[in-house]
């Protein structure tokens, strides 16, 4: 720091030996001299001088003179340069939800995605424990799912109906003497095979059991009045029984019945075959089978009178069992049954339009965003359904953890090379056999799309959930491309790269 001198400080008295002439001069010109001296001193200070007056003779001053100098000459003191105050810089901003660094993954399946058999491919795979996205190809775009939609239908049923719900078929007293009414409750698994024989639906209710109970109860309350007419009431389901976007070949190829609240064996010609041709009138087939237990009396289509006395009832297997009977063989008729029953329970109605509203609504209980989902049926046969692969993987995260009642979905998924639609000879063969027993997934196939979604128990011990769509101009060979990609997920496990 630069030092400063102060010219206003009092000086010692002048010695008496000072020459008189000089003193007189100073006396006469005292004020002017002081001003000049002060200015000279200020100039010296500005040039860095330490002491002022070193080149001048001592001067006698008085307190009055000192005050006069102070009035004329400005202070030569300079303000000291302030010392900077140390400050702490503000902390760097940090995101509210900082994302930890991701593991560098090196196992790529990119080469598998270019298989032309895919057509237009969409897919996603997540680590089932962390939810981290490992692989993504256009997973946000809603698209047709084929029978993978059954996962949504059964999940919605578990939410709305619960795993213990059973569909009930009843017989009630008719409004006329000698009349009884067979009232369908939506159970398409009701079988016309005699008690002791199993249909394709193991554990299904038997029509002969219902007829025997009804006959006993009728005779007890109507002694001496024979049964002369049977009314067939299928009004529990409304609207069209066939979705306009379905291929009619689905019926005669044995993959789908017309959806009615009253039918037997899913309206199959052969109750013990999964794929058996269906009729054009499921209600009539059920009525004929039921009437045979009453001597073949005539049947008519109608409705039960309000408040009619119930004579007998039988019930389907619980929803927990129906879920498996839907998913493992990919049964379309049971899926539509569950879709309609869910819509009725949700108060949306009993038609296809009601399913469009009710399924996404019931799925909201799982806490996953359902916006963009379109469900025009329960089976997935329509190519107008639309679900993003991302929704399926999010749902499969919960299925894998068995949240709520979704463990029933897990238990109903076909297993690669072991069960259901994944046990066919064209699935997980060749180099893909390594994944057999390790992939649990729902299949889907319609003319415009092949799909697969489920859970992978990977080779490295990790668990993945996934969804794969092959859409557009595709053929059944797309299944092999899908299986190969799923096997890639199995082989890579948690080291699966998105590149």
């Amino acid at each position: 720091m630069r030092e400063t001198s102060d010219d206003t400080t009092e000086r010692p008295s002048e010695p008496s030996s000072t020459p008189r002439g000089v003193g007189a001069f100073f006396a006469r010109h005292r004020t002017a001299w002081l001003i000049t001296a002060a200015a000279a001193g200020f100039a010296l200070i500005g040039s860095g001088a330490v002491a002022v007056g070193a080149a001048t003779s001592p001067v006698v001053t008085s307190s009055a003179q000192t005050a006069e100098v102070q009035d004329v000459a400005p202070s030569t003191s300079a303000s000291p340069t302030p010392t900077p105050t140390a400050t702490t810089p503000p902390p760097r901003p940090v995101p509210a939800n900082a994302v930890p660094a991701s593991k560098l993954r090196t196992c790529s399946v990119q080469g598998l995605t270019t298989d032309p058999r895919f057509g237009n491919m969409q897919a996603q795979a997540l680590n089932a424990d962390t939810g981290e996205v490992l692989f993504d190809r256009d997973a946000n775009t809603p698209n047709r799912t084929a029978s993978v939609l059954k996962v949504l239908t059964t999940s919605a049923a578990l939410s709305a109906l619960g795993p213990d719900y059973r569909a009930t078929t009843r017989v009630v007293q008719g409004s006329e003497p000698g009349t009884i009414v067979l009232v369908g409750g939506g159970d398409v698994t009701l079988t016309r095979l005699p008690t002791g024989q199993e249909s394709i639906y193991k554990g299904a209710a038997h029509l002969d059991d219902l007829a025997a109970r009804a006959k006993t109860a009728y005779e007890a309350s109507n002694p001496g009045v024979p049964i002369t007419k049977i009314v067939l009431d299928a009004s529990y389901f409304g609207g069209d029984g066939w979705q306009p976007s379905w291929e009619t070949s689905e019926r005669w190829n044995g993959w789908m019945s017309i959806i009615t609240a009253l039918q037997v064996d899913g309206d199959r010609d052969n109750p013990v075959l999964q794929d058996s041709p269906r009729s054009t009138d499921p209600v009539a087939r059920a009525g004929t089978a039921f009437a045979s237990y009453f001597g073949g009396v005539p049947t008519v289509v109608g409705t039960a009178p309000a408040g009619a006395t119930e004579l007998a009832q039988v019930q389907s297997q619980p929803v927990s069992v129906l879920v498996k009977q839907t998913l493992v063989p990919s049964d379309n008729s049971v899926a539509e049954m569950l879709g309609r029953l869910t819509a009725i329970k949700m108060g949306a109605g009993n038609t296809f339009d009601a399913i469009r509203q009710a399924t996404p609504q019931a799925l909201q209980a799982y806490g996953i965003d359902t916006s963009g989902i379109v469900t025009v049926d329960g089976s997935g046969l329509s190519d107008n359904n639309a679900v993003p692969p991302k929704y399926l993987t999010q749902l499969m995260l919960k299925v894998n953890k068995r949240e709520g009642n979704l463990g029933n979905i897990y238990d109903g998924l076909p297993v690669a090379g072991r069960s259901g639609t994944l046990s066919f000879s064209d699935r997980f063969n060749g180099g893909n056999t390594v994944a057999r027993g390790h992939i649990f997934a729902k299949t889907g196939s319609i003319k415009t799309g092949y799909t697969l979604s489920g859970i992978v128990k990977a080779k490295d011990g990790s668990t993945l959930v996934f969804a794969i769509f092959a859409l557009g101009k595709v053929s059944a060979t797309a299944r092999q491309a899908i299986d190969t990609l799923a096997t890639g997920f199995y082989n890579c496990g948690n080291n699966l790269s998105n590149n």
Side-chain angles (χ1 to χ4, degrees), residues 383-402:
D383 55 11
N384 294 329
N385 292 302
V387 179
K390 178 180 178 179
Y391 181 86
L392 287 163
T393 57
Q394 292 296 316
L395 184 58
M396 284 298 174
L397 286 176
K398 296 178 179 292
V399 170
N400 179 64
K401 295 176 182 178
R402 295 180 175 271

Side-chain angles (χ1 to χ4, degrees), residues 13-357:
S13 298
E14 184 70 24
S16 60
S17 61
T18 303
R20 184 171 180 174
V22 174
F25 175 84
F26 282 153
R28 289 194 301 268
H29 303 285
R30 179 179 58 193
T31 302
W33 182 88
L34 287 172
I35 293 172
T36 302
F42 182 79
L44 287 173
I45 292 171
S47 63
V50 174
V52 177
T56 64
S57 299
V59 178
V60 177
T61 62
S62 66
S63 61
Q65 290 174 327
T66 302
E68 187 176 1
V69 172
Q70 289 176 334
D71 289 341
V72 175
S75 173
T76 58
S77 298
S79 299
T81 302
T83 303
T85 302
T87 60
T88 302
R92 295 175 61 186
V94 178
N97 297 313
V99 179
S102 298
K103 171 184 175 181
L104 179 62
R105 295 177 168 86
T106 58
C107 188
S108 175
V109 294
Q110 175 60 28
L112 304 180
T113 66
T114 60
D115 191 324
R117 294 177 295 182
F118 271 121
N120 299 319
M121 193 269 286
Q122 294 176 249
Q124 189 178 69
L126 312 181
N127 180 301
D129 294 321
T130 66
E132 183 177 1
V133 177
L134 306 181
F135 182 86
D136 189 291
R137 297 294 184 273
D138 193 23
N140 291 322
T141 302
N143 229 317
R144 64 189 69 91
T145 62
S147 284
V148 168
L149 188 77
K150 292 182 176 70
V151 173
L152 274 66
T153 301
T154 51
S155 296
L158 286 165
S159 169
L161 302 170
D164 299 324
Y165 177 91
R166 297 171 185 261
T168 302
T169 306
R170 302 180 301 134
V171 177
V172 301
Q173 183 77 49
S175 58
E176 302 172 358
T179 302
I180 59 174
V181 185
L182 175 61
V183 184
D187 181 13
V188 304
T189 70
L190 179 68
T191 183
R192 64 188 185 273
L193 291 177
T195 299
Q197 295 184 30
E198 293 280 17
S199 72
I200 196 69
Y201 303 119
K202 300 296 187 290
H206 287 262
L207 199 61
D208 64 347
D209 181 29
L210 178 62
R213 295 184 190 185
K215 188 175 183 178
T216 299
Y218 176 85
E219 291 175 347
S221 58
N222 299 274
V225 181
I227 295 172
T228 57
K229 184 171 66 174
I230 298 174
V231 177
L232 307 176
D233 184 349
S235 62
Y236 198 54
F237 292 170
D240 293 336
W242 192 261
Q243 223 287 331
S245 60
W246 292 347
E247 297 281 344
T248 55
S249 60
E250 302 287 346
R251 190 172 70 249
W252 63 68
N253 284 331
W255 300 328
M256 174 65 90
S257 64
I258 295 173
I259 303 306
T260 57
L262 176 62
Q263 60 183 275
V264 289
D265 304 308
D267 196 39
R268 288 169 173 82
D269 287 351
N270 187 336
V272 299
L273 294 180
Q274 182 66 42
D275 299 331
S276 178
R278 319 297 171 96
S279 77
T280 59
D281 193 346
V283 175
R285 192 200 294 264
T288 299
F290 187 68
S292 68
Y293 299 109
F294 298 90
V297 299
T299 62
V300 296
V301 175
T303 57
T309 301
E310 182 178 292
L311 300 174
Q313 67 167 248
V314 291
Q315 293 186 315
S316 71
Q317 291 276 54
V319 165
S320 59
V321 174
L322 295 174
V323 164
K324 299 176 182 63
Q325 293 180 339
T326 302
L327 297 178
V328 174
S330 198
D331 192 288
N332 296 308
S333 296
V334 182
E336 296 300 336
M337 164 189 171
L338 291 175
R340 298 277 182 118
L341 292 175
T342 297
I344 293 169
K345 182 68 173 182
M346 297 295 292
N350 60 1
T351 65
F352 281 116
D353 285 343
I355 290 175
R356 181 190 290 263
Q357 173 186 340

